[in-house]
Amino acid sequence: MRDVARMAGVSAQTVSRYFKNPDLIGLGNRERIAKVVADTGYFPNPAASTLSANRTNLVAVIVPTIDHSIFSDAVAGLAQTLEARNHGLMIATNGFSLEKEEQQVERFLAHKVAGIVLIGQHHSERTTRLLRASGTPTVELLEIDNPPIDIAIGLSNLAAARDLTSRLIALGRRRIGFISAPPEGNDRVQRRLEGYRAALESAGLPFDPGLVAGAEFRIENGARVFSQMHAERPDIDAVISNDILGLGVQLQCARLGLAVPEDVAITGFDDLEVSSILERKLTTVKISGFEMGTLAGEMLLERQSRDAIAPEVVDLGYEILWRDTTP
Amino acid sequence: MRDVARMAGVSAQTVSRYFKNPDLIGLGNRERIAKVVADTGYFPNPAASTLSANRTNLVAVIVPTIDHSIFSDAVAGLAQTLEARNHGLMIATNGFSLEKEEQQVERFLAHKVAGIVLIGQHHSERTTRLLRASGTPTVELLEIDNPPIDIAIGLSNLAAARDLTSRLIALGRRRIGFISAPPEGNDRVQRRLEGYRAALESAGLPFDPGLVAGAEFRIENGARVFSQMHAERPDIDAVISNDILGLGVQLQCARLGLAVPEDVAITGFDDLEVSSILERKLTTVKISGFEMGTLAGEMLLERQSRDAIAPEVVDLGYEILWRDTTP
DNA sequence: ATGGATAGAGTTACCGGTAACTATATCCTT
DNA sequence: AAGGATATAGTTACCGGTAACTCTATCCAT
């Protein structure tokens, strides 16, 4: 930078301003520096900048896994927003482990990232404490049922599941199964389960643990788990699930000769493209990971420029798409 | 760090060694420093480290989009390997634009990343030049048909498509369609198209541009494009595609009353889970993005420790899964 | 004409590590 | 016992920016 400054006949500080805040310097100098920069291909060293200014233009995101489209959608939205605003994105995966998440948060804070995006609101106590203490803008994505660390963007999984369950009950279903991802380490699923139970309770229906099961995100798992559940609870007349597992349930119903939605109603969650691939399209709760990621990026960057602000919660809501697998 | 050093009664350099190369210091000091570090929660500042040592423990990956599972699989493999080896991952998406890719490479090089992973081998001239000149370990993923910048890991898309086409011809198909992602900016598709043409040529079959089409990665697009193609070329008896579009083709065949594979054989590419969701499972070319990502991470980190090495090409090959949509 | 605001630019010190070198003690080897 | 290798630790200078401050010129209101 000093070389560039010398060639342009200005001080290093002026060159620094040229990159950070061009309208603070005079037009003549601005053009002169621009020319030298173009000629030499000079680019400021981000490490030096970070060290000196104690901040970066890097945002970090920690997702359980990138293999699931709801998360990769969110990352895609985030990446797009950040790129447009000249910020970089660091990514880490924790495989639903709060301990790994804590380590990753620690590392990212050491990197002085401009912001951190986490999935959900279930973190180790130390994670929460570190984030609060650091003052780093933080977004919790996909869940808003709890008080946020800083910013929470998403939907109430509890409300969505309660709503969905209530409507199935209103449609006359009495033996409703709940097949989801394993609830361990996945707070969203816990909240949905709560919503499901709340709806049963308000309707005066009993909660039967035999109608609840968890399985990893694979179509075949949905089929297998439903198969077992149906063997033990032949009177099951509806299944609340997600799009991947729900697809498996739907396939298994066909194999078992059960009519959908007459014998068994099925609902998904996410509105993936595959949920409408079969003849009978899956009824599902639509949420937009991409939109959440985009908004997360915008809010993080905006928060940088302001001073400490009170926590914020943004409810992006959900939409139930009633399609062919419900009556 | 100087504070930690003082508390442990050693010099800052010794503390630095404690983090970088613990076995260079004596056992007594090591324990003393460990204690102080544990008490204070001290963590070295990566920016200072980067500035001084002129290198980071960050690897960068640039993908066209993260929405497509082949890319997110690769990123997942990469992330996992890097995390295990205590390296971070920066990610950027370029939406198939070589110009954006160039800018991103430039930025990442300024960050002194320890390695860069790109998708494919189609880059701007300047991108290639910058990467070569920087000496940064570079992996090109998913394509090995061209000479690599540094390391190339993947498969020969040309060979895979030629192989597949030849076998369809051997099975008696004569009017083979080619429906893929838009070839613009996507060199993998270009190579596959070359392989397709090469196979036609060796068999003495004519190349008909009316049997070639491109569409964005959505199931419905596969259906739409096939529908048009079939309207104009009713004698089409096979389609080479990818899993998403191929699924659309398969659905459209059902709608049009065409028997699969009797009237129309269909092949995909990628072996996504959805390709085996329908009654008749899609014949497909299986490639493992996850494995490629994992290997990319390992090779990058290994290359760091050595001196300049000759370019390397790793052919991970492919496997054709003959299932129900081919005779 | 005077005091004060504002724009544009420069000076100085510092951010927090590590490379490269030096210093010392210990242990072999011949 | 002398010379050399090895292990361990310290010293010094520097990496490349930016914050915070100072300085000068210009403009305006009173």
Side-chain angles (χ1 to χ4, degrees), chain B residues 49-323:
Chain B
S49 187
T50 301
L51 182 58
S52 176
N54 204 35
R55 79 185 113 74
T56 62
N57 61 163
L58 257 35
V59 168
V61 58
I62 304 175
V63 290
T65 160
I66 204 171
D67 285 337
H68 187 350
S69 92
I70 191 70
F71 300 137
S72 62
D73 276 359
V75 172
L78 196 56
Q80 189 186 288
T81 306
L82 295 177
E83 268 153 32
R85 313 256 205 122
N86 210 29
H87 278 242
L89 180 61
M90 299 185 61
I91 189 168
T93 59
N94 63 23
F96 293 99
S97 151
L98 297 190
E99 198 186 334
K100 268 186 116 179
E101 181 181 72
E102 183 178 311
Q103 290 165 10
Q104 287 159 344
V105 164
E106 203 167 0
R107 251 192 11 159
F108 285 137
L109 289 179
H111 271 282
K112 315 281 181 190
V113 292
I116 295 194
V117 178
L118 305 172
I119 298 297
Q121 303 190 295
H122 191 211
H123 318 292
S124 79
E125 204 201 324
R126 180 141 179 279
T127 300
T128 307
R129 190 154 30 84
L130 286 172
L131 286 169
R132 285 237 171 81
S134 75
T136 305
T138 302
V139 170
E140 293 167 288
L141 220 56
L142 274 169
E143 199 181 341
I144 58 167
D145 284 317
N146 305 298
I149 293 177
D150 185 16
I151 303 175
I153 302 176
L155 72 156
S156 167
N157 286 276
L158 192 155
R162 187 177 49 201
D163 185 3
L164 192 59
T165 310
S166 297
R167 300 209 196 189
L168 287 174
I169 294 171
L171 289 167
R173 305 295 157 147
R174 290 293 173 271
R175 296 290 283 163
I176 303 174
F178 186 94
I179 299 179
S180 68
E184 294 79 34
N186 188 332
D187 207 37
R188 271 95 49 221
V189 168
Q190 302 270 22
R191 293 289 91 72
R192 287 182 206 161
L193 193 51
E194 278 177 31
Y196 162 78
R197 294 188 66 159
L200 291 181
E201 197 169 336
S202 349
L205 293 174
F207 171 72
D208 178 357
L211 285 171
V212 174
E216 298 292 341
F217 256 78
R218 310 215 68 228
I219 295 173
E220 261 322 307
N221 288 344
R224 183 174 47 72
V225 168
F226 174 74
S227 197
Q228 286 169 11
M229 193 178 278
H230 180 260
E232 292 172 18
R233 303 284 193 278
D235 56 347
I236 184 170
D237 57 12
V239 175
I240 289 179
S241 189
N242 58 51
D243 281 10
I244 299 289
L245 295 173
L247 220 45
V249 174
Q250 196 178 350
L251 291 172
Q252 189 62 26
C253 282
R255 292 176 198 149
L256 295 172
L258 296 168
V260 175
E262 292 77 6
D263 297 334
V264 180
I266 307 171
T267 67
F269 211 102
D270 289 348
D271 190 28
L272 306 184
E273 194 189 6
V274 287
S275 67
S276 48
I277 189 183
L278 296 182
E279 175 91 20
R280 321 220 78 170
K281 302 188 196 322
L282 201 60
T283 287
T284 194
V285 178
K286 177 180 182 170
I287 56 181
S288 170
F290 190 86
E291 196 186 332
M292 289 182 202
T294 305
L295 187 59
E298 283 168 6
M299 290 186 71
L300 278 181
L301 297 192
E302 195 197 347
R303 188 152 284 222
Q304 271 189 109
S305 41
R306 300 210 222 141
D307 297 323
I309 316 177
E312 276 181 81
V313 174
V314 181
D315 187 351
L316 253 31
Y318 58 90
E319 185 187 357
I320 303 181
L321 304 177
W322 296 96
R323 297 196 288 214

